[in-house]
Amino acid sequence: MKNLLSISDLDRADLEGILDLAASFAEVQSRDIPKVPALRGKTVVLAFFEDSTRTRTSFDLAARRLSADVVNFSVASSATRKGESLRDTVETISAMGVDAIVVRHGSSGAPHRIARWTDAAVVNAGDGWHQHPTQALLDCFTICNKLGGLDGRKVAICGDIQHSRVARSNVEAFTKLGAEVVLIGPRTMLPPSLDGWPVKVEPDLDAVLPDIDVAYFLRIQQERLSEGLFPSIREYRVRYGLTTERAARLRPDALVMHPGPMNRGVEIDPEVAADPRAVVLEQVAAGVPVRMAVLYGLVGPGRFDPQDTEPQRQGVA
Ligand code: NCD
């Protein structure tokens, strides 16, 4: 595989292969020096045309922990602001000889276009409402670690599904790994047609709470409310928020997940975010080994040998 653009390009065996590789990298992370020489001499460019905290930082750490050189391309200080086209920007970066371009872009399909303009591996770090494949992989990794797998598990995804690339990627990844997915949200925040989505829709959050293994909540952007998709934050919380009362009706072994950034007091109460069943920080932590696995799989030399600890012998930091 040359690029990671969408979960649609992966089958169950591909997903499991990446998750297994991520488990080896999670072991590397627990070492005193959490670094291996696997991508020494390779260059990874982080091209983020949209804001990001956790995705960007964890790709950056992942590449460094594989000993790659990392270049952060910042739109705010780039020639994009002087009117340079996306294609010219990509061709300019590629001409310098880079091995991977990790791209986040506000427009759906931008990473696919970029992949046509460069020989470097392209990793989609979130494009418009379309896909966020590494988020889905890190969520699967977290669920597998906590629950032993997704086969037969019931996952509810609640919130603004229509505008969420996380929901699109996660529905595909969870169901490919054997889970049942139910979507919950206001009609105005569900896609107009769910043809081809392997999901059920449930209008009432309270009806599903006692049955689910994973309660996955999405951010409600304030602008969605001003667009008239829901009357007010208070009403949204009453119908679709994971309040403390609702969390009390989840099973004791259920997981509460959120991709971040969280709007505490809107889709999730602050007390629930601090509940031991909430694994939001475990999700963030999983991002590093999962992204190491993706970068290694795309530009690495082949099979990863966890015993290859050359940097430790040489004391390379
Ligand atoms: C999400 C994103 O940017 O797609 N965040 C993330 O990457 N963890 C979700 C969001 O912004 O709501």
Side-chain angles (χ1 to χ4, degrees), residues 43-290:
T43 304
V44 176
V45 177
L46 306 181
F48 277 60
F49 295 85
E50 228 192 32
D51 298 343
S52 168
T53 302
R54 61 217 95 220
T55 305
R56 183 183 188 125
T57 312
S58 83
F59 266 112
D60 197 333
L61 278 175
R64 289 175 204 275
R65 288 181 180 174
L66 292 166
S67 306
D69 296 315
V70 182
V71 178
N72 266 285
F73 164 86
S74 162
V75 176
S77 56
S78 74
T80 303
R81 304 248 298 183
K82 298 181 185 167
E84 187 165 61
S85 72
L86 182 59
R87 181 170 188 155
D88 284 336
T89 305
V90 169
E91 288 179 349
T92 302
I93 293 172
S94 301
M96 296 179 208
V98 303
D99 299 285
I101 303 177
V102 177
V103 54
R104 168 166 286 194
H105 204 285
S107 145
S108 297
H112 293 71
R113 290 202 297 283
I114 290 174
R116 292 203 292 273
W117 302 326
T118 178
D119 292 332
V122 176
V123 184
N124 182 357
D127 63 326
W129 305 350
H130 178 229
Q131 280 277 322
H132 193 352
T134 58
Q135 179 70 42
L137 286 162
L138 71 88
D139 289 330
C140 292
F141 187 82
T142 307
I143 297 173
C144 290
N145 269 349
K146 290 278 173 186
L147 304 181
L150 277 128
D151 268 317
R153 297 295 188 177
K154 289 203 172 85
V155 183
I157 304 181
C158 182
D160 183 5
I161 313 286
Q162 162 74 343
H163 302 96
S164 173
R165 54 194 174 206
V166 174
R168 281 181 182 71
S169 294
N170 282 12
V171 163
E172 281 194 66
F174 293 165
T175 52
K176 282 181 179 179
L177 290 173
E180 270 174 49
V181 179
V182 48
L183 303 180
I184 301 156
R187 206 41 266 171
T188 48
M189 294 184 187
L190 291 174
S193 159
L194 285 162
D195 271 0
W197 289 56
V199 294
K200 288 195 209 126
V201 175
E202 172 58 66
D204 181 10
L205 174 57
D206 291 298
V208 303
L209 288 174
D211 287 334
I212 51 180
D213 297 291
V214 178
Y216 196 106
F217 280 75
L218 296 168
R219 178 168 67 100
I220 289 305
Q221 290 95 335
Q222 308 293 328
E223 65 271 22
R224 303 283 173 243
L225 302 171
S226 52
E227 277 167 14
L229 297 185
F230 211 79
S232 72
I233 286 179
R234 197 190 60 79
E235 284 165 86
Y236 184 88
R237 177 177 169 274
V238 167
R239 283 209 54 191
Y240 299 104
L242 189 57
T243 57
T244 42
E245 298 75 30
R246 287 202 170 103
R249 304 190 47 233
L250 283 170
R251 292 212 311 261
D253 58 347
L255 302 180
V256 173
M257 302 180 73
H258 193 300
M262 286 188 282
N263 285 320
R264 291 166 189 266
V266 185
E267 70 269 7
I268 186 165
D269 277 9
E271 300 76 13
V272 180
D275 186 295
R277 292 171 295 178
V279 292
V280 180
L281 292 177
E282 277 99 324
Q283 291 171 262
V284 174
V288 179
V290 162

